[in-house]
Amino acid sequence: MSETIFSKILRKEIPAKIAHEDEWTMAFHDINPQAPVHLLIIPKKQISTLADVQEEDMPLIIHIHKVAQKLAEAMELEGWRIVVNVGEKGGQEVFHLHYHLLGWTKE
Ligand code: AMP
């Protein structure tokens, strides 16, 4: 697959407000937030879309969900939502797998 802007964020060639980083993933704030908290959780492995995820990637997918839980807890979100857009018709603009974490804090 060809590189996207998220590859440059992973290599820290362009700035992002990074909220989490580990061996497998990075999470950073969306540049155009659609909720009070809007993070993108991405794998370091280059996978274009959720449709391309293979059986061997399942530990990574589980890990992304755990990262979402930890971030929601750390950011004291009262409610949150995970969104994954798949394909152009599904609203995907950046073809590097990413999980939108949309969150709402206590009023
Ligand atoms: P999608 O439409 O699911 O592919 O989502 C792509 C998301 O990436 C959008 O919500 C954009 O606002 C976000 N985005 C694009 N460029 C950047 C960037 N440089 N830093 C942070 N978020 C970005």
Side-chain angles (χ1 to χ4, degrees):
M1 67 175 266
S2 54
E3 283 211 346
T4 69
I5 193 158
F6 291 174
S7 301
K8 293 194 170 82
I9 289 175
L10 282 171
R11 291 199 300 266
K12 297 178 181 156
E13 289 171 6
I14 62 166
K17 198 173 160 197
I18 297 169
H20 172 86
E21 184 172 8
D22 61 44
E23 188 187 348
W24 286 352
T25 65
M26 181 185 277
F28 52 90
H29 290 260
D30 196 292
I31 208 167
N32 182 23
Q34 303 296 312
V37 173
H38 186 169
L39 297 170
L40 299 172
I41 306 170
I42 71 172
K44 290 188 169 175
K45 181 177 179 182
Q46 281 201 359
I47 302 172
S48 293
T49 82
L50 194 57
D52 298 314
V53 166
Q54 304 294 312
E55 191 69 32
E56 69 197 32
D57 298 317
M58 287 307 146
L60 170 63
I61 297 302
I62 292 167
H63 181 72
I64 289 172
H65 282 73
K66 286 185 184 168
V67 169
Q69 281 181 327
K70 283 186 182 155
L71 283 167
E73 193 182 348
M75 302 194 86
E76 299 183 334
L77 302 183
E78 194 176 19
W80 47 286
R81 180 183 302 161
I82 293 285
V83 175
V84 183
N85 297 322
V86 183
E88 272 176 36
K89 285 202 172 169
Q92 185 173 4
E93 290 178 357
V94 180
F95 282 78
H96 182 125
L97 176 63
H98 53 283
Y99 282 59
H100 295 260
L101 171 59
L102 301 151
W104 290 265
T105 50
K106 293 188 180 99
E107 291 301 310

